[in-house]
Coordinates of all heavy atoms in Angstrom, one line a residue:
Y110 N 0.8 -1.1 0.0 CA 0.0 0.0 0.0 C 0.9 1.2 0.1 O 1.7 1.4 1.0 CB -0.9 0.0 1.2 CG -1.7 -1.3 1.4 CD1 -1.6 -2.0 2.4 CD2 -2.6 -1.6 0.4 CE1 -2.3 -3.2 2.6 CE2 -3.4 -2.7 0.5 CZ -3.2 -3.5 1.6 OH -4.0 -4.6 1.7
P111 N 0.7 2.0 -1.0 CA 1.6 3.1 -1.1 C 1.5 4.2 0.1 O 2.6 4.7 0.4 CB 1.3 4.0 -2.5 CG 0.2 3.1 -3.0 CD -0.2 2.1 -2.1
N112 N 0.4 4.4 0.6 CA 0.4 5.5 1.7 C 0.1 4.8 3.1 O -0.3 5.5 4.0 CB -0.8 6.4 1.4 CG -0.6 7.2 0.2 OD1 0.6 7.6 0.0 ND2 -1.6 7.4 -0.8
A113 N 0.4 3.5 3.1 CA 0.2 2.8 4.5 C 1.3 3.2 5.5 O 2.5 3.4 4.9 CB 0.2 1.3 4.2
S114 N 1.1 3.0 6.7 CA 2.0 3.2 7.7 C 2.8 2.0 7.9 O 2.4 0.9 7.4 CB 1.4 3.6 9.0 OG 0.4 2.6 9.3
C115 N 4.1 2.0 8.4 CA 4.9 0.8 8.6 C 4.9 0.5 10.0 O 4.3 1.1 10.9 CB 6.4 1.1 8.0 SG 7.2 2.3 9.0
Y116 N 5.5 -0.7 10.3 CA 5.7 -1.1 11.7 C 6.3 0.0 12.6 O 5.8 0.2 13.8 CB 6.5 -2.4 11.8 CG 6.5 -3.1 13.2 CD1 5.5 -3.9 13.5 CD2 7.6 -2.8 14.0 CE1 5.5 -4.5 14.8 CE2 7.6 -3.3 15.2 CZ 6.6 -4.3 15.6 OH 6.6 -4.8 16.8
A117 N 7.2 0.8 12.2 CA 7.9 1.7 13.0 C 6.9 3.0 13.2 O 7.1 3.7 14.3 CB 9.3 2.2 12.3
C118 N 6.0 3.2 12.3 CA 5.1 4.3 12.5 C 4.2 3.9 13.7 O 3.8 4.7 14.6 CB 4.1 4.5 11.3 SG 4.9 5.2 10.0
V119 N 3.8 2.7 13.8 CA 2.8 2.2 15.0 C 3.6 1.9 16.3 O 3.1 2.3 17.2 CB 2.1 0.9 14.4 CG1 1.2 0.5 15.6 CG2 1.4 1.0 13.2
F120 N 4.8 1.3 16.1 CA 5.5 1.0 17.3 C 6.9 1.6 17.2 O 7.9 0.9 16.9 CB 5.6 -0.5 17.4 CG 4.3 -1.1 17.6 CD1 3.8 -2.0 16.5 CD2 3.7 -1.1 18.8 CE1 2.5 -2.5 16.6 CE2 2.4 -1.8 18.8 CZ 1.9 -2.5 17.8
P121 N 7.2 2.9 17.5 CA 8.5 3.5 17.4 C 9.4 2.8 18.4 O 9.0 2.4 19.4 CB 8.3 5.0 17.6 CG 6.9 5.0 18.3 CD 6.1 3.9 17.9
E122 N 10.6 2.8 18.0 CA 11.6 2.2 19.0 C 11.8 3.0 20.2 O 12.0 4.3 20.1 CB 12.9 2.1 18.2 CG 14.0 1.4 19.1 CD 15.3 1.2 18.3 OE1 15.4 1.3 17.1 OE2 16.3 1.0 19.0
N123 N 11.8 2.3 21.4 CA 11.9 3.2 22.6 C 12.9 2.3 23.4 O 12.6 1.2 24.0 CB 10.6 3.2 23.3 CG 10.8 4.1 24.7 OD1 11.9 4.4 25.1 ND2 9.6 4.2 25.3
R124 N 14.2 2.8 23.5 CA 15.2 2.2 24.2 C 14.9 2.1 25.7 O 15.8 1.3 26.4 CB 16.5 2.7 23.9 CG 17.0 2.5 22.4 CD 18.3 3.1 22.1 NE 18.5 3.1 20.8 CZ 19.0 2.1 20.0 NH1 19.3 1.0 20.6 NH2 19.2 2.3 18.7
N125 N 14.2 2.7 26.3 CA 13.8 2.8 27.7 C 12.8 1.7 28.3 O 12.7 1.4 29.3 CB 13.3 4.2 28.2 CG 14.4 5.2 27.9 OD1 15.5 5.1 28.0 ND2 13.8 6.3 27.6
T126 N 12.2 1.0 27.1 CA 11.2 0.0 27.5 C 11.9 -1.4 27.3 O 12.5 -1.6 26.3 CB 10.0 0.2 26.5 OG1 9.4 1.4 26.6 CG2 9.0 -0.9 26.8
P127 N 11.8 -2.2 28.3 CA 12.3 -3.5 28.3 C 11.6 -4.3 27.2 O 10.4 -4.3 27.1 CB 12.2 -4.1 29.6 CG 11.2 -3.4 30.2 CD 11.2 -2.1 29.6
S128 N 12.4 -5.2 26.6 CA 11.8 -6.1 25.6 C 11.5 -7.3 26.0 O 12.2 -8.1 26.9 CB 12.9 -6.3 24.4 OG 12.3 -7.3 23.5
L129 N 10.2 -7.7 26.0 CA 9.6 -8.9 26.7 C 9.4 -10.0 25.5 O 9.0 -9.6 24.5 CB 8.4 -8.6 27.3 CG 8.6 -7.5 28.5 CD1 7.3 -7.4 29.2 CD2 9.4 -8.1 29.6
N130 N 9.5 -11.2 25.9 CA 9.1 -12.2 24.8 C 7.9 -12.9 25.3 O 7.3 -12.6 26.2 CB 10.3 -13.3 24.7 CG 10.5 -14.1 25.9 OD1 9.6 -14.3 26.8 ND2 11.8 -14.4 26.1
C131 N 7.3 -13.8 24.4 CA 5.9 -14.4 24.6 C 5.8 -15.1 25.9 O 4.8 -15.0 26.6 CB 5.6 -15.4 23.4 SG 5.5 -14.5 21.9
S132 N 6.9 -15.8 26.3 CA 6.8 -16.7 27.6 C 6.8 -15.7 28.9 O 6.2 -16.1 29.9 CB 8.0 -17.7 27.6 OG 9.2 -16.9 27.7
E133 N 7.5 -14.5 28.7 CA 7.5 -13.6 29.8 C 6.2 -12.9 29.9 O 5.7 -12.5 31.1 CB 8.5 -12.6 29.6 CG 9.9 -13.1 29.7 CD 11.1 -12.2 29.3 OE1 10.8 -11.4 28.6 OE2 12.2 -12.3 29.9
I134 N 5.4 -12.6 28.9 CA 4.1 -11.8 29.1 C 2.9 -12.6 28.9 O 1.8 -12.3 29.1 CB 4.1 -10.7 27.9 CG1 4.1 -11.4 26.6 CG2 5.1 -9.8 28.2 CD1 3.9 -10.2 25.5
G135 N 3.0 -14.1 28.6 CA 2.0 -15.0 28.7 C 1.1 -15.1 27.5 O 0.0 -14.6 27.5
V136 N 1.6 -15.6 26.4 CA 0.9 -15.8 25.2 C 0.5 -17.2 25.1 O 1.3 -18.1 25.3 CB 1.7 -15.3 24.0 CG1 0.9 -15.8 22.6 CG2 2.0 -13.9 23.9
L137 N -0.8 -17.5 24.9 CA -1.3 -18.9 24.8 C -0.8 -19.6 23.6 O -0.6 -18.9 22.6 CB -2.8 -18.9 24.7 CG -3.6 -18.5 26.2 CD1 -5.0 -18.3 26.0 CD2 -3.1 -19.4 27.3
P138 N -0.4 -20.8 23.7 CA 0.3 -21.4 22.5 C -0.7 -21.5 21.2 O -0.2 -21.7 20.1 CB 0.5 -22.9 22.9 CG 0.2 -23.0 24.4 CD -0.4 -21.7 24.8
T139 N -1.9 -21.3 21.4 CA -2.9 -21.4 20.2 C -3.0 -20.0 19.5 O -3.3 -20.0 18.4 CB -4.3 -21.7 20.6 OG1 -4.8 -20.9 21.7 CG2 -4.4 -23.1 21.2
L140 N -2.5 -18.9 20.2 CA -2.6 -17.6 19.5 C -1.7 -17.4 18.3 O -2.3 -16.9 17.4 CB -2.4 -16.5 20.5 CG -3.4 -16.3 21.8 CD1 -3.1 -15.3 22.6 CD2 -4.8 -16.0 21.0
P141 N -0.6 -17.9 18.4 CA 0.2 -17.7 17.0 C -0.4 -18.3 15.8 O -0.4 -17.8 14.8 CB 1.4 -18.3 17.3 CG 1.6 -18.1 18.8 CD 0.3 -18.3 19.4
G142 N -1.1 -19.5 16.0 CA -1.7 -20.1 14.9 C -2.9 -19.3 14.5 O -3.2 -19.2 13.2
I143 N -3.7 -18.8 15.4 CA -4.8 -17.9 15.0 C -4.4 -16.7 14.2 O -4.9 -16.4 13.1 CB -5.7 -17.5 16.2 CG1 -6.3 -18.9 16.9 CG2 -6.7 -16.5 16.0 CD1 -6.9 -18.6 18.3
V144 N -3.5 -15.9 14.8 CA -2.9 -14.7 14.2 C -2.3 -15.1 12.8 O -2.4 -14.3 11.9 CB -1.9 -14.1 15.2 CG1 -1.3 -12.9 14.5 CG2 -2.8 -13.5 16.4
G145 N -1.5 -16.1 12.7 CA -0.9 -16.6 11.5 C -1.9 -16.8 10.4 O -1.8 -16.6 9.2
S146 N -3.1 -17.4 10.8 CA -4.1 -17.6 9.8 C -4.8 -16.4 9.3 O -5.0 -16.2 8.1 CB -5.2 -18.6 10.4 OG -4.8 -19.9 10.6
L147 N -4.9 -15.5 10.2 CA -5.5 -14.1 9.8 C -4.5 -13.4 9.0 O -5.0 -12.7 7.9 CB -5.8 -13.3 11.1 CG -6.9 -13.8 12.0 CD1 -6.8 -12.9 13.3 CD2 -8.3 -13.6 11.4
Q148 N -3.2 -13.5 9.2 CA -2.3 -12.8 8.3 C -2.2 -13.5 7.0 O -2.1 -12.7 6.0 CB -0.8 -13.0 9.0 CG -0.7 -11.9 10.3 CD 0.6 -12.3 10.9 OE1 1.2 -13.3 10.9 NE2 1.1 -11.1 11.4
A149 N -2.3 -14.9 7.0 CA -2.3 -15.5 5.6 C -3.6 -15.1 4.8 O -3.5 -14.8 3.5 CB -2.2 -17.0 5.9
H150 N -4.7 -14.9 5.5 CA -5.9 -14.6 4.9 C -5.8 -13.1 4.2 O -6.1 -12.8 3.1 CB -7.1 -14.5 5.8 CG -8.4 -14.2 5.2 ND1 -9.1 -15.0 4.4 CD2 -9.1 -13.1 5.4 CE1 -10.3 -14.3 4.0 NE2 -10.3 -13.1 4.7
K151 N -5.2 -12.2 5.0 CA -5.0 -10.8 4.6 C -4.0 -10.9 3.4 O -4.2 -10.0 2.4 CB -4.5 -10.0 5.8 CG -4.4 -8.5 5.4 CD -5.8 -7.9 5.2 CE -5.7 -6.4 5.0 NZ -6.9 -5.8 4.8
A152 N -2.9 -11.5 3.4 CA -2.0 -11.8 2.3 C -2.6 -12.2 1.0 O -2.3 -11.6 0.0 CB -0.8 -12.7 2.8
I153 N -3.4 -13.2 1.1 CA -4.2 -13.7 0.0 C -5.1 -12.6 -0.7 O -5.1 -12.3 -1.9 CB -5.0 -15.0 0.3 CG1 -4.0 -16.1 0.6 CG2 -6.0 -15.4 -0.9 CD1 -4.7 -17.2 1.1
K154 N -5.8 -11.9 0.3 CA -6.6 -10.7 -0.2 C -5.8 -9.7 -0.9 O -6.2 -9.1 -1.9 CB -7.4 -10.1 1.0 CG -8.6 -11.0 1.5 CD -9.3 -10.4 2.6 CE -10.0 -9.1 2.2 NZ -10.6 -8.6 3.4
W155 N -4.6 -9.5 -0.3 CA -3.7 -8.4 -1.0 C -3.3 -8.9 -2.4 O -3.4 -8.0 -3.2 CB -2.5 -8.1 0.0 CG -1.7 -7.0 -0.4 CD1 -1.9 -5.6 -0.4 CD2 -0.3 -7.2 -1.1 NE1 -0.8 -5.0 -0.9 CE2 0.1 -5.8 -1.4 CE3 0.4 -8.3 -1.4 CZ2 1.3 -5.7 -1.9 CZ3 1.6 -8.1 -2.1 CH2 2.1 -6.7 -2.3
I156 N -2.9 -10.1 -2.4 CA -2.5 -10.7 -3.8 C -3.6 -10.6 -4.7 O -3.3 -10.3 -5.9 CB -1.9 -12.1 -3.5 CG1 -0.6 -12.2 -2.8 CG2 -1.8 -12.8 -4.9 CD1 -0.2 -13.5 -2.2
L157 N -4.8 -10.8 -4.4 CA -5.9 -10.8 -5.3 C -6.4 -9.4 -5.5 O -7.4 -9.2 -6.1 CB -7.1 -11.7 -4.6 CG -6.8 -13.2 -4.6 CD1 -8.0 -13.9 -3.9 CD2 -6.5 -13.7 -5.9
D158 N -5.6 -8.4 -4.8 CA -6.1 -7.0 -5.0 C -7.7 -6.7 -4.5 O -8.3 -6.0 -5.1 CB -6.0 -6.5 -6.4 CG -5.8 -5.0 -6.6 OD1 -5.3 -4.4 -5.5 OD2 -6.2 -4.5 -7.5
S159 N -7.9 -7.4 -3.5 CA -9.2 -7.2 -2.7 C -9.0 -6.4 -1.4 O -9.1 -6.9 -0.3 CB -9.7 -8.7 -2.4 OG -11.0 -8.5 -1.8
H160 N -9.1 -5.1 -1.6 CA -8.7 -4.2 -0.5 C -10.2 -3.9 0.1 O -11.2 -3.9 -0.6 CB -8.2 -2.9 -1.0 CG -6.9 -3.2 -1.5 ND1 -5.7 -3.7 -1.0 CD2 -6.4 -3.1 -2.8 CE1 -4.7 -3.9 -1.9 NE2 -5.2 -3.4 -3.0
N161 N -10.2 -3.6 1.4 CA -11.5 -3.3 2.1 C -11.3 -2.2 3.2 O -10.1 -1.7 3.3 CB -12.2 -4.5 2.7 CG -11.3 -5.3 3.6 OD1 -10.5 -4.7 4.2 ND2 -11.7 -6.4 3.9
E162 N -12.2 -2.2 4.1 CA -12.1 -1.1 5.1 C -11.1 -1.3 6.2 O -10.8 -0.5 7.0 CB -13.5 -1.0 5.8 CG -14.0 -2.0 6.5 CD -14.6 -3.1 5.8 OE1 -14.8 -3.0 4.4 OE2 -15.0 -4.2 6.2
T163 N -10.5 -2.5 6.1 CA -9.5 -2.8 7.3 C -8.1 -2.4 6.7 O -7.2 -2.6 7.5 CB -9.6 -4.2 7.7 OG1 -9.3 -5.1 6.7 CG2 -10.8 -4.6 8.4
D164 N -7.9 -2.0 5.5 CA -6.7 -1.5 5.0 C -6.2 -0.4 5.9 O -6.9 0.5 6.2 CB -6.6 -1.2 3.6 CG -7.0 -2.4 2.6 OD1 -6.8 -3.5 3.1 OD2 -7.3 -2.1 1.5
N165 N -4.9 -0.5 6.3 CA -4.4 0.6 7.1 C -5.0 0.7 8.4 O -5.0 1.8 9.0 CB -4.3 2.0 6.4 CG -3.1 2.7 6.7 OD1 -2.0 2.2 7.1 ND2 -3.1 4.1 6.7
H166 N -5.3 -0.5 9.1 CA -5.8 -0.6 10.3 C -5.0 -1.6 11.1 O -4.4 -2.6 10.5 CB -7.2 -1.0 10.4 CG -8.1 0.2 10.0 ND1 -8.3 0.6 8.7 CD2 -9.1 0.7 10.7 CE1 -9.3 1.6 8.6 NE2 -9.8 1.6 10.0
L167 N -5.0 -1.4 12.3 CA -4.3 -2.5 13.3 C -5.5 -3.3 13.8 O -6.3 -2.7 14.5 CB -3.5 -1.8 14.3 CG -3.0 -2.8 15.4 CD1 -1.9 -3.7 14.8 CD2 -2.3 -1.9 16.5
I168 N -5.5 -4.6 13.6 CA -6.4 -5.5 14.0 C -5.9 -6.2 15.3 O -5.0 -6.9 15.2 CB -7.1 -6.5 13.0 CG1 -7.6 -5.7 11.8 CG2 -8.1 -7.4 13.6 CD1 -7.9 -6.5 10.6
I169 N -6.5 -6.0 16.4 CA -6.1 -6.6 17.7 C -7.0 -7.8 18.0 O -8.3 -7.5 18.1 CB -6.1 -5.6 18.7 CG1 -5.1 -4.4 18.5 CG2 -5.7 -6.2 20.2 CD1 -5.2 -3.2 19.2
F170 N -6.6 -9.0 18.2 CA -7.4 -10.1 18.7 C -7.1 -10.2 20.2 O -6.0 -10.4 20.8 CB -7.0 -11.3 18.0 CG -7.7 -12.5 18.3 CD1 -9.0 -12.7 18.2 CD2 -7.0 -13.6 19.0 CE1 -9.6 -13.9 18.5 CE2 -7.5 -14.8 19.3 CZ -9.0 -14.8 19.2
N171 N -8.2 -10.4 20.9 CA -8.3 -10.8 22.3 C -8.7 -12.2 22.5 O -9.9 -12.5 22.3 CB -9.2 -9.9 23.1 CG -9.1 -10.0 24.6 OD1 -8.8 -11.1 25.1 ND2 -9.5 -9.0 25.3
G172 N -7.7 -13.1 22.7 CA -8.1 -14.5 22.8 C -8.8 -14.8 24.2 O -9.5 -15.9 24.2
L173 N -8.9 -14.1 25.1 CA -9.7 -14.2 26.3 C -11.2 -14.1 26.2 O -11.9 -14.9 26.6 CB -9.2 -13.3 27.5 CG -7.9 -13.6 28.1 CD1 -7.5 -12.6 29.2 CD2 -7.7 -14.9 28.5
N174 N -11.6 -13.1 25.4 CA -13.1 -13.0 25.1 C -13.4 -13.2 23.7 O -14.5 -12.8 23.3 CB -13.5 -11.6 25.6 CG -12.9 -10.4 24.7 OD1 -12.3 -10.6 23.6 ND2 -13.1 -9.2 25.2
M175 N -12.4 -13.7 22.9 CA -12.6 -13.9 21.5 C -13.1 -12.8 20.7 O -13.9 -12.8 19.7 CB -13.5 -15.1 21.2 CG -13.0 -16.5 21.9 SD -11.4 -17.1 21.3 CE -11.8 -17.6 19.7
G176 N -12.6 -11.6 21.0 CA -13.1 -10.3 20.2 C -11.9 -9.7 19.6 O -10.7 -10.0 19.7
F177 N -12.4 -8.9 18.5 CA -11.5 -8.1 17.7 C -11.6 -6.6 17.9 O -12.7 -6.1 18.2 CB -11.6 -8.5 16.2 CG -11.3 -9.8 15.8 CD1 -12.2 -10.9 15.9 CD2 -9.9 -10.0 15.4 CE1 -11.9 -12.1 15.5 CE2 -9.6 -11.4 15.1 CZ -10.5 -12.4 15.1
T178 N -10.5 -5.8 18.0 CA -10.7 -4.4 17.9 C -9.9 -3.9 16.7 O -8.8 -4.4 16.5 CB -10.0 -3.8 19.2 OG1 -10.7 -4.4 20.3 CG2 -10.0 -2.4 19.3
C179 N -10.5 -2.9 16.0 CA -9.9 -2.4 14.8 C -9.6 -1.0 15.0 O -10.4 -0.1 15.3 CB -10.8 -2.7 13.6 SG -10.1 -2.3 12.0
I180 N -8.3 -0.6 14.8 CA -7.9 0.8 15.1 C -7.2 1.2 13.7 O -6.3 0.7 13.3 CB -6.8 0.8 16.2 CG1 -7.3 0.3 17.4 CG2 -6.2 2.2 16.5 CD1 -6.4 0.1 18.7
K181 N -7.7 2.5 13.4 CA -7.1 3.2 12.3 C -5.8 3.7 12.6 O -5.5 4.3 13.5 CB -7.9 4.3 11.8 CG -7.5 4.9 10.4 CD -8.6 5.9 9.9 CE -8.1 6.6 8.7 NZ -7.7 5.7 7.6
I182 N -4.8 3.3 11.5 CA -3.4 3.8 11.8 C -3.1 4.9 10.8 O -3.5 4.8 9.7 CB -2.5 2.5 11.5 CG1 -2.7 1.4 12.4 CG2 -1.0 3.1 11.6 CD1 -2.6 1.6 13.8
I183 N -2.5 6.0 11.4 CA -2.1 7.1 10.5 C -0.6 7.0 10.4 O 0.1 6.9 11.3 CB -2.5 8.5 11.3 CG1 -4.0 8.4 11.3 CG2 -2.1 9.6 10.5 CD1 -4.7 9.6 12.2
K184 N -0.2 7.2 9.2 CA 1.3 7.3 8.8 C 1.9 8.4 9.6 O 1.4 9.6 9.5 CB 1.5 7.4 7.3 CG 2.8 7.3 6.8 CD 2.9 7.3 5.4 CE 4.4 7.0 5.0 NZ 4.5 6.7 3.5
N185 N 3.0 8.2 10.2 CA 3.9 9.2 11.1 C 4.7 9.8 9.9 O 5.5 9.3 9.2 CB 4.7 8.5 11.8 CG 5.6 9.5 12.7 OD1 5.6 10.8 12.4 ND2 6.4 9.1 13.7
P186 N 4.4 11.2 9.7 CA 5.1 12.0 8.6 C 6.6 12.2 8.9 O 7.4 12.4 8.1 CB 4.5 13.4 8.7 CG 3.7 13.5 9.9 CD 3.5 12.0 10.3
D187 N 7.1 11.9 10.2 CA 8.4 12.0 10.6 C 9.1 10.6 10.8 O 10.3 10.4 11.3 CB 8.6 12.7 11.9 CG 8.0 14.1 11.9 OD1 8.2 14.8 11.0 OD2 7.5 14.6 12.8
C188 N 8.5 9.5 10.3 CA 8.9 8.3 10.3 C 10.4 8.1 9.6 O 10.4 8.4 8.5 CB 8.0 7.1 9.9 SG 8.5 5.6 9.9
L189 N 11.3 7.5 10.2 CA 12.7 7.4 9.7 C 12.7 6.1 8.7 O 13.6 6.0 7.9 CB 13.7 7.2 10.7 CG 13.8 8.6 11.5 CD1 14.9 8.4 12.6 CD2 14.4 9.8 10.7
V190 N 11.7 5.3 8.9 CA 11.8 4.0 8.1 C 11.1 4.2 6.8 O 11.4 3.7 5.8 CB 11.1 2.8 9.0 CG1 11.2 1.5 8.1 CG2 11.9 2.6 10.3
C191 N 9.8 4.7 6.7 CA 9.0 4.8 5.4 C 9.1 6.2 5.0 O 8.7 6.4 3.9 CB 7.8 4.2 5.8 SG 6.7 5.1 6.9

């Protein structure tokens, strides 16, 4: 997507925040499979040029209540990556 934000726009590097891994923050072992399936689905839609209202949005999955939250992402004009 030409005007889409990148990972660094959404999560800028902060050297003061400790880096935590999945075992430290408690990720259930089934979640990577669920999220991977969602990513594969989105990739297929992108290949087929089937864009929709979730383009340029961050989709958050809550495995405890099986819910989704969709947040519109705005490209950071000062981003050093994109």
Side-chain angles (χ1 to χ4, degrees):
Y110 305 117
N112 295 319
S114 55
C115 72
Y116 186 85
C118 287
V119 180
F120 302 104
E122 185 176 344
N123 184 350
R124 296 188 186 272
N125 297 329
T126 303
S128 178
L129 300 174
N130 63 36
C131 294
S132 65
E133 292 172 333
I134 60 174
V136 174
L137 293 174
T139 55
L140 289 179
I143 294 168
V144 173
S146 294
L147 292 170
Q148 289 176 328
H150 180 77
K151 187 67 174 176
I153 291 168
K154 288 177 62 177
W155 184 77
I156 291 167
L157 297 175
D158 203 27
S159 175
H160 305 292
N161 63 19
E162 66 276 355
T163 61
D164 293 346
N165 214 26
H166 283 70
L167 175 64
I168 301 171
I169 301 168
F170 174 67
N171 183 332
L173 292 177
N174 67 13
M175 300 300 285
F177 290 90
T178 304
C179 192
I180 301 171
K181 183 169 178 60
I182 302 300
I183 299 172
K184 186 173 182 173
N185 180 358
D187 299 324
C188 181
L189 299 174
V190 177
C191 66

